[in-house]
Amino acid sequence: MTDRQQPGFLEAIEQAGLLVEIWEHFPENMFLIRVEGPDFLVEAANPKMTELFGQDCSGKRLHDFLPWSVAEEVVAHYRECLRQDAPLRYEEHATFHDARGQEREGHWLTLLVPVHDPNGTITHLFGVSQNVTELRLARASLERYNRDLEAVVDERTRALNAVNQQLQEANRQLEALASSDTLTGVGNRRHFQAGAEREMERARRHGGALSLLMFDLDGFKSINDQDGHAAGDAVLRKVAASVQTTLRANDLFARYGGDEFVLLLPDTPLAAARQMGERLRTQVQEDAGVALSLGGAGFEAADTQLEMLVQRADAEVLAAKRARKAK
């Protein structure tokens, strides 16, 4: 068949009614691009594509009806399809003006298929371009919504974490207030009792040594009466600070009431506890200028309550006071 006898593209599809129907009524852009050396011309465009551009693009170069930058991007895809000599799918975004000067913008998903002559040379590129603008806009809207939602979640998470930190700090402060003596800063009676009972149970279970020291300040009432309660409070704070400098990490120290203090010494026999008591007496005398009356008690198997140790130690404190007065 000579070149003159070869039917044109439209003539060829007119010979097949089904192809004509597809070409005329396909809801997306269909087009045939003729390859002319380094250039590309629109040989045919279906009605949907003609409607998009508002003009018949047949016989025109892409640069004739598209902005230069847009045309260059499209041509780059055409050249890539030629280079690969294989179908090429890509998505493109374009903004252009139709024949009436109306600005058109959108996103298209395009499939290019190279068409060969009998010699295997690519003569045309057949393309189908689907308008995915609405899908793109919906996706962008969803992505914005997700970003906004993530921002809200992050903000609320940070706010919640801040509140949790504040609550934790408040709880720590409340726990400290509940377990500390407000005047001296050492443990209070309730905190001491809870810790001492745990240590007694441990000593009972494992048979370890456990000792309790109790002391109060000699002449403390006279300090309050002569110098005032502020002076008495200052002495109590000095005594507590002095004792704390000699404590081990697992020792329990508390203000038991008034000018009475208790000290629980885990893993410490009573004899060693008494020696420590004498060192405390000397230390407090140097630091706070006040004498101590001191008593001790060692944990025994029959001790079912902390008060039993406290009573024995307190009895020694009273005995020490009587002995001082008798001198």
Side-chain angles (χ1 to χ4, degrees), residues 71-84:
E72 284 295 305
E73 290 181 9
V74 175
V75 167
H77 291 303
Y78 291 177
R79 289 176 181 148
E80 181 63 19
C81 187
L82 289 179
R83 188 188 68 80
Q84 295 185 15

Side-chain angles (χ1 to χ4, degrees), residues 118-136:
N119 297 321
T121 302
I122 300 176
T123 60
H124 295 81
L125 298 175
F126 175 72
V128 178
S129 185
Q130 180 184 8
N131 191 333
V132 293
T133 303
E134 292 186 1
L135 179 61
R136 260 296 194 175

